[in-house]
């Protein structure tokens, strides 16, 4: 991943994403002005030292943790799988999925919320969370410049984001199985980054 991608993936609004991604009006906005962000942005499409990337990711983590620590209703759910996310409306006064109320108890009408169906991996318990905002960390998209690999090598490369899909895993398995027995003494030479 390019050095600047670490910053841009967190601090640049992506209105065309589904759902749209915002950072400029969130707790993440000030991060774009940090010293770590500036160094990574200056490095541009080049490789950055791991220590620089680690400092940046640590700063992002501290910012999110600080926000979660000050919120009485926010938590980090470890060992949890999200099974579905869909839009719904919810009435906080009576717990019925329809409408919403403000702090004074006055009805504000229907309020759109995300219903997040989760499963605890430890006890298999299924539950639903309701939230006005959802943050999804699903991985990145790799862009490889055409001149990085020769044509012969490029045909052998599978990008990491593709490997995270069912189709990508099937392709990887197919390619590795095709290498079985090709060099019994040393085995196939495979690099996974």
């Amino acid at each position: 991943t390019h050095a600047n991608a670490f910053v841009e993936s967190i601090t640049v609004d992506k209105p065309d994403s589904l759902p749209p991604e915002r950072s400029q009006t969130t707790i993440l906005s000030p991060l774009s002005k940090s010293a770590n962000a500036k160094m990574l942005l200056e490095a541009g499409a080049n490789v950055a030292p791991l220590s620089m990337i680690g400092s940046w990711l640590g700063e992002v983590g501290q910012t999110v943790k600080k926000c979660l620590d000050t919120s009485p209703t926010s938590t980090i759910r470890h060992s949890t799988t999200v099974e579905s996310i869909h839009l719904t409306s919810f009435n906080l006064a009576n717990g019925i999925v329809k409408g919403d109320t403000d702090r004074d108890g006055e009805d504000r009408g229907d309020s759109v919320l995300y219903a997040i169906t989760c499963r605890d991996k430890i006890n298999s318990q299924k539950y639903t969370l309701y939230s006005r905002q959802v943050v999804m960390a699903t991985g990145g998209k790799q862009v490889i410049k055409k001149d990085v690999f020769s044509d012969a090598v490029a045909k052998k490369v599978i990008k990491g984001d593709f490997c995270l899909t069912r189709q990508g895993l099937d392709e990887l398995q197919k390619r590795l199985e095709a290498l079985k027995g090709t060099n019994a003494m040393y085995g196939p030479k495979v690099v996974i980054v």
Side-chain angles (χ1 to χ4, degrees):
T1 300
H2 304 295
N4 58 352
F6 283 96
V7 176
E8 291 169 355
S9 65
I10 293 171
T11 62
V12 174
D13 288 346
K14 298 170 193 72
D16 296 332
S17 295
L18 290 175
E21 296 179 20
R22 270 190 346 248
S23 66
Q24 292 306 308
T25 57
T26 70
I27 60 164
L28 300 175
S29 182
L31 288 171
S32 63
K33 295 175 180 65
S34 79
N36 289 319
K38 288 178 183 174
M39 286 189 292
L40 288 167
L41 289 171
E42 286 173 9
N46 297 310
V47 175
L50 191 55
S51 59
M52 187 186 301
I53 295 166
S55 294
W56 164 251
L57 294 177
E59 188 175 359
V60 172
Q62 287 174 352
T63 301
V64 173
K65 185 174 182 335
K66 182 178 176 185
C67 180
L68 290 173
D69 287 347
T70 60
S71 171
T73 58
S74 296
T75 62
I76 296 174
R77 303 281 173 147
H78 298 282
S79 303
T80 300
T81 301
V82 174
E83 294 186 347
S84 69
I85 299 175
H86 62 274
L87 291 173
T88 187
S89 56
F90 192 79
N91 186 301
L92 296 176
N94 58 20
I96 296 175
V97 180
K98 186 101 168 136
D100 194 4
T101 60
D102 64 16
R103 289 184 188 150
D104 301 325
E106 296 176 11
D107 196 327
R108 291 187 292 169
D110 288 353
S111 178
V112 175
L113 296 176
Y114 290 97
I116 304 111
T117 304
C118 304
R119 184 173 305 276
D120 187 304
K121 289 182 183 180
I122 296 170
N123 62 20
S124 296
Q125 179 184 356
K126 192 173 182 177
Y127 56 93
T128 302
L129 302 172
Y130 294 92
S131 176
R132 285 186 177 81
Q133 303 291 325
V134 173
V135 176
M136 293 186 286
T138 58
K141 174 119 176 92
Q142 289 180 303
V143 179
I144 300 174
K145 293 180 182 178
K146 290 184 180 185
D147 60 346
V148 170
F149 300 111
S150 68
D151 288 341
V153 173
K155 291 176 185 174
K156 299 177 182 180
V157 173
I158 301 177
K159 294 190 277 183
D161 56 323
F162 181 61
C163 285
L164 295 176
T165 67
R166 177 78 255 163
Q167 185 182 8
L169 287 172
D170 291 343
E171 177 65 21
L172 182 61
Q173 182 178 4
K174 183 175 104 181
R175 289 187 187 194
L176 290 174
E177 284 178 356
L179 294 173
K180 282 183 182 175
T182 56
N183 188 337
M185 187 169 178
Y186 300 106
K189 290 179 175 51
V190 178
V191 177
I192 299 176
V193 180

